[in-house]
Amino acid sequence: MSDTTTWIDLRSDTVTQPSQAMRAAMAAAEVGDDVYGDDPDVNRLQDFAADLFGHEAGMFAASGTQTNLIALMTHCARGDEYLVGQEAHTYKYEGGGAAVLGSIQPQPIANQADGSIALADIEAYIKPDDMHFARTRLLALENTIGGRVLGQDYIAAATTLAHAKGLATHLDGARVCNAAVKQGISLREAVKGFDTVSVCLSKGLGAPVGSVLLGPKAFIEQGKRWRKMLGGGMRQAGVIAAAAQHALQHNVERLAEDHDNAFALAKGLAEIEVLRVTTPQTNIFWLDVPVAACEPLRAALASQGIRATVGPRMRLVTHLDVSRDDVAKVVAAFKAFFKDWRA
């Protein structure tokens, strides 16, 4: 394919391109110096996001990895631990930052099939108050996790248990807007029970960069010190904050389109006999591909202008740059390949 090819990119919802309206908002940003706290666009975003999710204050940072790390380092001191699912992003995919940079011990716990952590396991892994053990300080959950939505009844039970045991609660809400839209609830309801929340703006919401950390005002002020130490003090950040503000104002409800497209794509691929396809809840689903087919399938898709992370256990992700016509093209490309493929 040529460099000018318009790709159908199913690798992640982080690959979205800013719309013309979003670019216009970026161009019109007032900007100031955010380290001094006088970038009006950053301040507007932080206040807007905090109110939208029902928290006291917000802090804009470069990425969800950074907002999660800041939250962990603010909740936990050196030698403390946090309880987390083995599949969770903060444990598995963020470079071990909590341990390396925060001297915080993760206590990984097996995730259930629905993405939750069993309440009995949460309680069992809380350490006793004894000098031999790390001090358990925090329960960190993720919603959605691998495209699966944690139900509100479960979240209420898990956060209530954690608080009753003296733990704080943090939500890695990388795709919490997807969870809210899927369940037909408000963003405030989706994060109820969590002391702090990280909301990623550069995934399905379509901003080019950035996340917000939300929580009590005193917590956020303490978090700003960690952000500075981690190199996250940005200057004229209003240019990207304006894009994030546009994303929150215009791109939440439309996530339902991504969910519908994921369902249509999964349904079409499920018609291929050799594939095993999961039914998506949101914009992410998985399929099992025969090992021998992976390399030729990758080449065949690329020849059709389709980008995907092809492997025996393959994740496909829909987003605002994937249309229903694109879905039809992808299904057709898969079917054409497997029509002729023989193990």
Side-chain angles (χ1 to χ4, degrees):
M1 303 299 294
S2 71
D3 291 340
T4 59
T5 298
T6 300
W7 291 86
I8 301 172
D9 199 332
L10 300 170
R11 293 173 297 173
S12 177
D13 46 8
T14 61
V15 302
T16 56
Q17 295 291 308
S19 65
Q20 288 304 309
M22 183 177 285
R23 291 175 186 271
M26 295 170 73
E30 297 177 63
V31 307
D33 190 318
D34 184 47
V35 174
Y36 287 109
D38 62 12
D39 188 305
D41 297 280
V42 173
N43 293 338
R44 188 178 301 116
L45 168 66
Q46 291 171 163
D47 292 344
F48 179 81
D51 180 68
L52 189 63
F53 286 87
H55 280 268
E56 235 181 19
M59 177 179 61
F60 187 45
S63 68
T65 295
Q66 193 171 74
T67 49
N68 279 328
L69 180 56
I70 291 167
L72 294 176
M73 293 175 72
T74 306
H75 279 297
C76 302
R78 290 169 59 87
D80 289 347
E81 78 167 8
Y82 73 107
L83 307 183
V84 63
Q86 286 187 328
E87 298 177 33
H89 207 274
T90 56
Y91 171 66
K92 192 173 181 179
Y93 298 107
E94 295 184 1
V100 175
L101 301 175
S103 297
I104 303 165
Q105 173 175 288
Q107 173 58 73
I109 307 173
N111 289 95
Q112 301 299 303
D114 64 357
S116 68
I117 304 172
L119 299 180
D121 287 345
I122 292 174
E123 187 165 7
Y125 277 101
I126 298 173
K127 306 297 186 292
D129 185 7
D130 184 299
M131 70 174 69
H132 294 89
F133 302 108
R135 295 162 295 196
T136 310
R137 296 296 196 201
L138 177 71
L139 171 66
L141 298 177
E142 181 176 343
N143 203 11
T144 65
I145 179 164
R148 296 162 294 182
V149 178
L150 298 183
Q152 291 309 107
D153 288 344
Y154 168 76
I155 287 176
T159 55
T160 297
L161 170 62
H163 288 146
K165 296 295 182 178
L167 308 186
T169 55
H170 173 69
L171 176 66
D172 175 4
R175 296 180 177 88
V176 68
C177 295
N178 292 86
V181 168
K182 173 63 177 179
Q183 296 176 97
I185 60 177
S186 70
L187 296 177
R188 288 189 175 202
E189 186 67 20
V191 303
K192 187 176 181 181
F194 291 100
D195 299 308
T196 57
V197 181
S198 168
V199 180
C200 186
L201 303 164
S202 64
K203 293 189 172 71
L205 296 181
V209 63
S211 291
V212 287
L213 178 62
L214 308 172
K217 185 174 182 180
F219 184 96
I220 294 300
E221 288 303 311
Q222 186 180 352
K224 287 179 180 177
R225 177 175 288 273
W226 286 121
R227 182 181 67 176
K228 180 65 175 177
M229 290 186 198
L230 295 170
M234 298 183 284
R235 301 297 180 175
Q236 285 71 40
V239 175
I240 52 175
Q245 177 91 17
H246 184 276
L248 279 175
Q249 288 179 314
H250 298 283
N251 290 347
V252 174
E253 293 304 322
R254 65 144 307 280
L255 291 171
E257 299 175 27
D258 300 340
H259 301 171
D260 290 343
N261 283 338
F263 184 82
L265 179 56
K267 183 178 179 181
L269 296 180
E271 295 172 358
I272 301 171
E273 187 175 354
V274 298
L275 300 181
R276 296 293 176 267
V277 184
T278 63
T279 300
Q281 295 181 27
T282 55
N283 66 320
I284 298 173
F285 67 95
W286 302 79
L287 60 152
D288 295 331
V289 179
V291 173
C294 289
E295 285 303 321
L297 175 61
R298 183 182 294 108
L301 294 177
S303 72
Q304 296 295 312
I306 300 167
R307 281 183 172 142
T309 305
V310 181
R313 183 65 172 169
M314 181 174 173
R315 185 183 80 159
L316 294 179
V317 186
T318 55
H319 48 78
L320 58 82
D321 290 336
V322 176
S323 68
R324 187 56 66 94
D325 287 344
D326 292 334
V327 167
K329 181 177 179 180
V330 172
V331 171
F334 268 83
K335 287 184 174 180
F337 172 81
F338 281 105
K339 179 181 177 181
D340 298 326
W341 181 78
R342 295 292 181 271

